Amino acid sequence: EALEMHKMCLGAFCRAHGADHTVVAGAYNNMANVYQKQGKYVEALERHEQSTAIKIKTLGKDHGLVAASYIGMAIVYSLQAKYPEALALYEKSRAIMSKVLPHDLAAFATLYNGMAEVFLAQGRHAEALTLHTKVIEIKGMRNDNQGLASSYSNMATVYQKLGMHADALALYEKGQAIKIAVLGEDHLDVAWSYNNIANVYAAQSRYTEALALHEKSQAITIKVLGKDNLDIVASYNGMATIYHAQCKYVAALELFEKGKAIMIKALGHDHV
């Protein structure tokens, strides 16, 4: 339905403004985002490219909207694990932004986050950490508390990949404290953070603490979304993994089966 609506808007905009107008470029962007959510990456890239071509033609190649289009395309390439292509587009965007938007800290934070994710996927952990540090500095300067909490979590993920569990835990806990203060205890972001912290505890063989946090996450998720929501599967799987590590195989199997039942109910047998 969303795609059909965007197609109708595209046609209306073309008739009203001509094919080379920025509102038409925006409509192509919107369609690209829908295709991306559907996992139709080829179609998403085509729409991004159409949008970018219009922006370059009407605004010039060194414009902030062109830089934003390159970021959009980079995200699609990243989702396909085409990391060199993604990084090339992020670099093109950074060059434009440095020229025309040098003081747009929010835009640079978005750019650095995207590049850091690519570096992490490539195993380039030091470069990912450097960029996450820059993002944290930006978020701090802008007093963006929610953004700062997310950045702490992103950086913690890199440390976790490196097996630096104490550093990861410290950052997850800093992020969690902010989330609770800003969003309250009963928020899904808080629930997800409990799962992240629990995973670090599990990696440290601190199973009792890990289970307690998975249970807290589970309680919040059930309260907010109900007991049959897919988000709760992460808690069940995390707890099952811990029970398995403790050789409590019956308890582990029971939780894996509960998670599987929710997935079948939500997605059908063929998906699972």
Side-chain angles (χ1 to χ4, degrees):
E1 291 182 8
L3 188 58
E4 290 304 314
M5 182 63 69
H6 287 311
K7 287 179 179 179
M8 289 175 62
C9 289
L10 175 64
F13 291 152
C14 286
R15 290 190 295 272
H17 303 287
D20 293 329
H21 196 281
T22 51
V23 296
V24 175
Y28 280 128
N29 269 341
N30 292 335
M31 292 173 67
N33 291 334
V34 175
Y35 280 127
Q36 180 182 316
K37 289 177 181 177
Q38 294 176 333
K40 297 180 178 179
Y41 300 128
V42 173
E43 291 88 343
L45 281 172
E46 288 175 353
R47 299 302 175 272
H48 275 308
E49 287 167 355
Q50 288 172 302
S51 176
T52 304
I54 293 170
K55 291 174 184 176
I56 292 172
K57 185 174 182 178
T58 57
L59 302 171
K61 63 181 182 178
D62 291 330
H63 194 280
L65 289 178
V66 175
S69 283
Y70 287 141
I71 289 175
M73 293 167 68
I75 290 169
V76 179
Y77 278 121
S78 183
L79 289 169
Q80 297 177 92
K82 295 181 177 180
Y83 301 124
E85 293 90 338
L87 278 176
L89 286 165
Y90 279 129
E91 290 293 353
K92 288 180 77 169
S93 180
R94 177 156 63 176
I96 295 170
M97 288 165 57
S98 297
K99 187 182 294 186
V100 301
L101 299 170
H103 305 298
D104 190 341
L105 296 180
F108 274 99
T110 299
L111 173 74
Y112 292 147
N113 266 332
M115 294 180 72
E117 288 180 12
V118 174
F119 285 139
L120 177 59
Q122 292 181 310
R124 297 163 65 176
H125 300 113
E127 291 161 287
L129 286 172
T130 296
L131 289 176
H132 282 310
T133 301
K134 287 185 177 183
V135 175
I136 287 171
E137 290 172 359
I138 291 171
K139 300 291 186 183
M141 285 189 287
R142 300 183 71 243
N143 295 315
D144 181 1
N145 286 330
Q146 279 187 256
L148 194 58
S150 295
S151 293
Y152 284 140
S153 294
N154 291 337
M155 198 166 186
T157 300
V158 182
Y159 280 125
Q160 200 171 348
K161 291 278 188 182
L162 290 166
M164 300 170 68
H165 302 306
D167 302 270
L169 188 60
L171 286 167
Y172 277 135
E173 288 175 343
K174 285 179 75 170
Q176 181 70 317
I178 294 171
K179 289 177 183 178
I180 291 172
V182 174
L183 303 171
E185 279 275 4
D186 294 331
H187 194 280
L188 290 176
D189 282 355
V190 173
W192 275 107
S193 287
Y194 282 135
N195 277 335
N196 289 334
I197 296 171
N199 290 336
V200 178
Y201 281 139
Q204 295 176 313
S205 300
R206 297 164 64 178
Y207 298 128
T208 301
E209 293 159 286
L211 284 170
L213 288 179
H214 277 309
E215 286 169 356
K216 288 181 78 169
S217 174
Q218 182 186 115
I220 295 169
T221 305
I222 290 172
K223 185 175 183 179
V224 176
L225 298 174
K227 63 180 181 179
D228 292 329
N229 191 277
L230 282 172
D231 280 14
I232 205 169
V233 174
S235 292
Y236 283 141
N237 286 345
M239 294 169 71
T241 301
I242 292 168
Y243 283 132
H244 189 273
Q246 294 178 308
C247 300
K248 296 179 179 178
Y249 301 122
V250 174
L253 184 59
E254 180 182 336
L255 287 168
F256 278 131
E257 291 294 343
K258 287 178 83 170
K260 182 179 178 181
I262 291 171
M263 293 179 68
I264 290 171
K265 186 174 181 179
L267 303 172
H269 283 275
D270 292 339
H271 189 95
V272 176

